[in-house]
Amino acid sequence: MNIWKKPLVASAMAVAAATAIAASNVPQAASAAQHADSPYIAANDGTPLYYKDWGPKTGQVVVFSHGWPLSSDSWEAQMLFLADKGFRVIAHDRRGHGRSGQTWANHHMDQYSDDLAAVLNALDVRDVTLVGFSTGGGEVTRYVGRHGTARVKKLVLVSAVTPIMVKTADNPNGVEIDVFDGLRKASIDNRAQLYKDLASGPFFGFNRPGAKASTGLIDTFWMQGMQASHKATFDSIKAFSETNFVDDLKRVNVPTLVIHGTDDQIVPIETSARATAKLVKGAKLIEYAGGPHGITDTHKDRLNQDLLEFISK
């Protein structure tokens, strides 16, 4: 992945801000989750899950699941766009990420999907379009496999980790386990540097010749990553890389859109989006030529329009 290259450039103010946000929200979450107007919902094991609910409450519902090691903030371009078009847009911070509770245990796809179910059930939303990015793509897919589509109208997978990332006997073209072991080692050694290197390199494609790096995108990726708990982000590496979603994809029975960049250096398109589209009956695949992994930002205008067109049909 070539992810350990550039020096860490971060201010003490940014560190303090990220730490303060996490510290100030989590202790209050358990009690706040008991109130109807709270931005928290309790998971089935009591973990407080922070969520956003934007746009008119009567609008068609779109629910977003974010990638690793980010938070619901990573969807702000899509949420702002669709809410302004009259949609009700909802996104939660995955357990251990963003402003949700930093529980020690249960950082795996089954629990992630159960947490998503807790959000949908608590808000009692129906005819939902589920949109998952990267790890979130696995989360929404496991939700369908585990909880069905009674509340789901459509499914969108963006740069998703489905059907399985790691190389196995059944997935010979997958990513070598050594890559994910390297991520784990880098996380233990200096995860702040790891997140800076990912953002300034392959995530947004800033390591490609002629690419113009955005300091803002690099910094917000780093800030979101550092807001998450080390335990959650470490355990999530196994969850997003080793979970097999083949059976879940075969259970999908709603219209499905798969979107992926052809130059995704994090989740290679050949064994992810192209394989996923073959497993979901009737799925539509849109490839962004030269697009990196983080197309929710680098190709946000095109993605917004593709989402709007698909959801509006």
Side-chain angles (χ1 to χ4, degrees):
M1 282 187 179
N2 195 23
I3 57 175
W4 302 283
K5 297 194 302 184
K6 295 187 177 181
L8 175 65
V9 182
S11 68
M13 183 178 295
V15 176
T19 304
I21 292 170
S24 64
N25 279 296
V26 172
Q28 302 172 27
S31 60
Q34 307 305 314
H35 301 288
D37 293 333
S38 167
Y40 288 91
I41 288 169
N44 57 10
D45 64 353
T47 300
L49 304 171
Y50 174 87
Y51 74 98
K52 301 177 181 182
D53 189 347
W54 294 358
K57 295 300 181 286
T58 56
Q60 185 176 341
V61 181
V62 185
V63 175
F64 296 87
S65 289
H66 65 79
W68 174 94
L70 306 173
S71 71
S72 59
D73 292 349
S74 63
W75 282 116
E76 63 181 20
Q78 288 69 47
M79 293 181 70
L80 185 65
F81 174 80
L82 290 175
D84 196 48
K85 298 292 184 182
F87 292 87
R88 180 182 180 184
V89 292
I90 299 166
H92 72 286
D93 291 351
R94 186 168 297 117
R95 61 176 48 226
H97 296 66
R99 290 135 293 200
S100 288
Q102 294 197 1
T103 179
W104 184 254
N106 296 327
H107 302 291
H108 53 75
M109 282 293 169
D110 283 355
Q111 185 63 59
Y112 294 165
S113 73
D114 290 352
D115 290 350
L116 177 57
V119 174
L120 300 185
N121 293 342
L123 298 177
D124 194 24
V125 289
R126 300 181 184 277
D127 293 327
V128 171
T129 296
L130 291 179
V131 185
F133 169 77
S134 195
T135 300
E139 178 180 294
V140 298
T141 300
R142 178 53 54 90
Y143 171 87
V144 170
R146 192 168 169 86
H147 297 275
T149 55
R151 292 184 181 274
V152 180
K153 182 178 181 180
K154 295 180 180 180
L155 180 68
V156 183
L157 303 175
V158 181
S159 304
V161 297
T162 57
I164 180 173
M165 281 193 70
V166 73
K167 180 178 180 179
T168 65
D170 295 331
N171 188 40
N173 296 318
V175 180
E176 295 283 354
I177 189 67
D178 290 351
V179 171
F180 304 112
D181 288 341
L183 280 176
R184 281 182 274 265
K185 182 178 185 305
S187 183
I188 292 295
D189 289 347
N190 186 344
R191 78 179 181 119
Q193 186 65 54
L194 168 63
Y195 298 160
K196 186 68 72 171
D197 290 344
L198 281 170
S200 62
F203 190 91
F204 297 111
F206 293 153
N207 59 337
R208 293 307 197 200
K212 183 178 180 180
S214 165
T215 301
L217 289 182
I218 295 169
D219 287 350
T220 193
F221 181 102
W222 181 86
M223 182 181 70
Q224 288 178 55
M226 293 307 295
Q227 191 178 359
S229 89
H230 197 172
K231 171 67 171 173
T233 55
F234 184 88
D235 287 358
S236 190
I237 296 171
K238 180 179 180 67
F240 72 66
S241 66
E242 298 183 36
T243 304
N244 189 324
F245 300 98
V246 170
D247 289 341
D248 303 294
L249 290 168
K250 290 179 178 178
R251 294 189 182 102
V252 175
N253 59 356
V254 295
T256 300
L257 176 62
V258 181
I259 302 177
H260 215 100
T262 61
D263 192 34
D264 190 328
Q265 301 170 69
I266 306 294
V267 183
I269 189 172
E270 187 61 42
T271 56
S272 57
R274 291 171 183 167
T276 291
K278 293 176 182 177
L279 288 167
V280 179
K281 185 177 180 180
K284 179 181 180 181
L285 172 62
I286 299 178
E287 299 185 4
Y288 288 7
H293 189 59
I295 56 177
T296 53
D297 285 302
T298 62
H299 291 62
K300 64 182 181 182
D301 291 337
R302 180 180 177 184
L303 178 60
N304 288 348
Q305 290 299 328
D306 284 337
L307 288 174
L308 178 61
E309 180 181 353
F310 178 71
I311 296 167
S312 299
K313 289 180 179 177

